[in-house]
Amino acid sequence: MPMIEIKDLRKSFGGVEVLKGVGFAVDKGEVVVVLGPSGSGKSTLLRCINLLEDYHAGDIRIDGATVGYRAHADGRRIACSEAENAKVREQVGLVFQSFNLFPHRTAIENVMMGPLHVRRMAKVQARALAAGLLDKVGLADKAGQYPATLSGGQQQRVAIARALAMQPKVMLFDEVTSALDPELVGEVLLVIRRLADEGMTMIIVTHEIHFARDVGDRIIFMDGGVIVEHGPPGQVLASPSSERLKLFLRRYQGDYLAV
């Protein structure tokens, strides 16, 4: 059974369909990198998986559990209960390009929030978990500092630790380096690469082409709300079959292709 399974996913905003029947599966421990131009539906896809956005048709499953809706025998969509959705959502960590840290709480307090208030973990246990995760992302010495005193890269690493504190089965990353100064990008990508090495199931939306090649088991290229190409990095990035992907790679990594 795949860890993530998406079938014929459709989502519209008003009269504009932004996901037009997207479908793929992600095995346990697999890292899938999603590439595509702005407006291609990448971020909407992640938000639907975590049910931050409602979707209008299709099927999403996380480790076999239905997200959002289940199909009735007569073909109708039946909404899952809020309790069912919350239980599945706890298994999915989502990190955005904006850090969304609580400014009035220290780094360790930000990481403790989920275990304390969602998982009802004892405070001493939550603090120990948070301290270990801050150490994991290289910020053990910043535990008592407030977000305003941290660099963008450090804040993003706190955000990753906060997502990991819920002990998810799946991690979703949405352009987590796009708001960072170039010299800070590497420290965040290193944390994600370590998670990949540890076997975390991940979907990563990024424009970092070389990182996609190095960390991804599979590449998906989206444009206009559909999957245009997908396959191993060596195939998709080195020998793209569509003109649209070739143009995209020239724009974001001009020296990647010898064309």
Side-chain angles (χ1 to χ4, degrees):
M1 178 185 299
M3 180 60 72
I4 305 171
E5 190 172 15
I6 301 167
K7 295 181 179 179
D8 195 27
L9 184 62
R10 295 180 181 273
K11 166 68 178 176
S12 297
F13 291 104
V16 179
E17 191 174 32
V18 295
L19 294 176
K20 305 173 182 178
V22 172
F24 62 95
V26 183
D27 291 331
K28 183 178 180 180
E30 188 178 19
V31 179
V32 172
V33 180
V34 183
L35 304 175
S38 297
S40 61
K42 308 182 304 298
S43 294
T44 301
L45 169 66
L46 294 191
R47 292 175 68 86
C48 287
I49 293 172
N50 204 43
L51 214 61
L52 292 178
E53 291 284 356
D54 194 11
Y55 59 95
H56 300 123
D59 185 53
I60 302 173
R61 296 176 185 271
I62 303 295
D63 198 18
T66 301
V67 178
Y69 300 89
R70 62 172 58 88
H72 192 271
D74 62 9
R76 291 181 296 122
R77 299 170 77 217
I78 305 297
C80 297
S81 70
E82 187 54 41
E84 289 175 306
N85 288 333
K87 186 175 181 179
V88 176
R89 193 182 286 122
E90 287 178 15
Q91 306 301 320
V92 183
L94 176 55
V95 184
F96 302 92
Q97 56 182 309
S98 55
F99 319 125
N100 295 323
L101 300 178
F102 291 101
H104 60 291
R105 297 185 181 275
T106 64
I108 196 166
E109 289 170 343
N110 266 278
V111 179
M112 290 171 63
M113 292 284 288
L116 279 175
H117 300 291
V118 180
R119 293 200 177 274
R120 304 297 181 184
M121 191 178 289
K123 191 171 183 178
V124 64
Q125 186 181 359
R127 181 172 289 274
L129 173 64
L133 289 170
L134 286 175
D135 183 53
K136 183 185 185 74
V137 299
L139 293 175
D141 60 334
K142 307 293 184 182
Q145 292 191 213
Y146 290 90
T149 69
L150 301 175
S151 70
Q154 290 169 338
Q155 291 186 61
Q156 192 61 286
R157 284 186 280 158
V158 172
I160 293 172
R162 180 180 59 184
L164 291 172
M166 291 297 291
Q167 300 173 308
K169 296 178 180 178
V170 171
M171 285 289 288
L172 310 176
F173 294 94
D174 187 12
E175 298 282 11
V176 294
T177 60
S178 64
L180 300 179
D181 293 332
E183 64 269 22
L184 301 177
V185 169
E187 65 189 56
V188 175
L189 297 184
L190 179 60
V191 170
I192 299 174
R193 181 176 279 110
R194 287 173 178 164
L195 291 176
D197 291 341
E198 293 171 4
M200 174 64 74
T201 306
M202 296 189 282
I203 299 179
I204 303 171
V205 170
T206 184
H207 283 123
E208 301 287 341
I209 306 299
H210 285 288
F211 177 72
R213 176 200 59 195
D214 292 341
V215 78
D217 296 305
R218 193 151 40 98
I219 302 291
I220 289 175
F221 176 68
M222 290 182 64
D223 189 32
V226 299
I227 295 176
V228 178
E229 291 194 47
H230 64 93
Q235 169 192 320
V236 173
L237 297 179
S239 303
S241 59
S242 68
E243 285 300 318
R244 188 65 190 89
L245 178 52
K246 290 177 182 178
L247 290 172
F248 176 84
L249 292 174
R250 289 192 192 106
R251 177 182 177 187
Y252 286 99
Q253 196 65 49
D255 60 351
Y256 192 85
L257 291 173
V259 294

